[in-house]
Amino acid sequence: MAPVADADTADDERPRGADREDLPRDESDSDRAPGDSDRDESPRGERRGFADRGARSDRDDRSRGGSESGAARSGDFGDDRRRGGEGARTTGGRPDDRRAARPEEPDLPEDVQASDLDPAVRRDLLSLDKNNADSVARHMVMAVELLEDDPRLALAHARAARQRAGRIAVVRETAGVVAYHAEEWAEALSELRTARRMSGGAGLLAVMADCERGLGRPERAIELGRSEEAQTLTGDEAAELRMVVAGARMDLGQFDQAVVTLQASDLDPSRTGSAAARLFYAYADALVAAGRTDDGLQWFLNAAAADLDDETDAEERATELTGDAQ
């Protein structure tokens, strides 16, 4: 959403992917080229990703999803660089407004403007040189626009933004979320850890736990679900993490435990909307896996009723179960 260093070792959680000599590398990626795939090719049975659980287009490949937020951090990178930005000075000390794009960066369409980026995110880029901030913003716009249709190209743009602004939390977080969509689990995990260390909070814990599942480490996903940070989550964020942990339980064949994991007060059939539909779908899936087909059928029907935007295949799953019963 590939072996890496121990996910629970604090010393491994250092920024990666930046092109500054004074910025430490993440040891978990010291032997991995940026384009290397981190996908876990081993079969995972009926495993589903938490954010797109039950989506029609993802029924077979079990894709995942994420969110974006963050804060800024900047520093001094030497006499030949301005604070927070690469290539801000020429040898004569004047800004080079015609600075060419780096060879590894994807092209930026002329009609894509920095102003297309959310104003709150653009404010986090104020510590950068103006020209560099403009390029970073445009790469981030492209990363978001391409996320669903071309996640690999979206990741190339996110990496370009990270290379230019590796000390900005929202840039690292965006790189992590896009890597997650591209199923580069180890890269996503490293970027999200870095972003969370910069800005704090536990809002991305569910995405990080699902990355552990993608790396074939469901036990670590369950551990994250038990962490102190997990206890601070509420509402939909808490539900997302419960869905990931339940999925990890199912990865391990612990179907009854998956059912119990999802049982909470928000499992209310009167709710509607995307979050409710995905939660009900996950619960129905766990019930069926645990052999409670009749209960699972009812919750697939509940999911279909809650799914106002027709995002899941809950109605089709219910039809399949009804056909099996006949």
Side-chain angles (χ1 to χ4, degrees):
M1 78 258 207
V4 295
D6 189 348
D8 298 324
T9 303
D11 290 342
D12 288 343
E13 296 187 6
R14 294 197 288 267
R16 62 181 289 277
D19 58 346
R20 305 178 177 85
E21 294 180 0
D22 61 333
L23 186 61
R25 291 173 52 84
D26 188 334
E27 293 180 2
S28 66
D29 294 293
S30 59
D31 297 324
R32 181 183 304 281
D36 290 349
S37 174
D38 303 305
R39 302 180 187 181
D40 175 14
E41 301 295 343
S42 61
R44 291 191 285 273
E46 291 301 310
R47 176 165 179 255
R48 293 177 183 272
F50 79 92
D52 298 314
R53 192 178 303 272
R56 294 176 182 276
S57 62
D58 301 322
R59 179 78 179 276
D60 297 322
D61 62 11
R62 318 305 193 208
S63 65
R64 300 165 181 80
S67 61
E68 297 182 12
S69 65
R73 174 183 172 187
S74 60
D76 183 7
F77 302 111
D79 293 338
D80 60 343
R81 297 178 182 177
R82 289 185 180 176
R83 188 167 69 94
E86 276 81 357
R89 299 181 186 274
T90 63
T91 54
R94 290 178 298 177
D96 182 3
D97 294 334
R98 299 181 300 278
R99 180 179 181 272
R102 301 178 185 186
E104 68 271 19
E105 291 187 0
D107 293 334
L108 287 166
E110 292 184 2
D111 61 343
V112 174
Q113 302 297 321
S115 58
D116 296 332
L117 189 65
D118 183 277
V121 178
R122 288 179 63 197
R123 283 195 292 272
D124 285 339
L125 306 181
L126 290 177
S127 62
L128 303 175
D129 167 76
K130 184 179 184 300
N131 291 332
N132 191 41
D134 183 83
S135 294
V136 171
R138 295 172 68 199
H139 278 300
M140 292 177 73
V141 169
M142 289 302 298
V144 173
E145 288 187 355
L146 293 167
L147 193 58
E148 296 299 329
D149 295 333
D150 193 344
R152 303 304 303 179
L153 183 54
L155 181 56
H157 281 286
R159 286 170 172 167
R162 180 194 64 202
Q163 289 173 337
R164 288 175 169 271
R167 290 181 182 259
I168 306 297
V170 70
V171 174
R172 302 302 289 265
E173 182 176 301
T174 299
V177 169
V178 176
Y180 172 82
H181 276 270
E183 299 187 8
E184 297 288 348
W185 315 126
E187 179 177 354
L189 192 58
S190 178
E191 294 296 333
L192 293 174
R193 283 178 182 157
T194 299
R196 290 176 65 248
R197 185 175 63 255
M198 290 176 171
S199 60
L204 295 172
L205 206 58
V207 183
M208 295 174 64
D210 213 33
C211 288
E212 295 286 11
R213 290 183 64 207
L215 289 166
R217 303 188 301 220
E219 297 89 349
R220 293 193 181 184
I222 294 170
E223 289 174 7
L224 283 174
R226 293 170 174 164
S227 67
E228 291 184 5
E229 288 179 313
Q231 308 311 310
T232 68
L233 297 178
T234 59
D236 289 343
E237 289 183 341
E240 297 286 8
L241 182 56
R242 284 181 14 241
M243 283 188 272
V244 175
V245 173
R249 292 288 188 186
M250 293 176 70
D251 293 345
L252 296 170
Q254 300 172 356
F255 305 120
D256 290 329
Q257 292 95 321
V259 170
V260 173
T261 297
L262 291 167
Q263 292 174 340
S265 59
D266 56 356
L267 202 62
D268 178 357
S270 67
R271 294 177 60 206
T272 59
S274 176
R278 289 185 293 105
L279 176 60
F280 299 168
Y281 190 104
Y283 189 50
D285 218 16
L287 287 166
V288 171
R292 298 169 56 180
T293 305
D294 290 342
D295 292 336
L297 172 60
Q298 182 58 57
W299 279 98
F300 275 127
L301 292 173
N302 292 339
D307 190 4
L308 304 179
D309 296 323
D310 198 27
E311 295 179 355
T312 75
D313 62 352
E315 187 173 351
E316 295 171 8
R317 292 291 302 275
T319 299
E320 290 174 4
L321 290 175
T322 301
D324 291 341
Q326 293 177 347

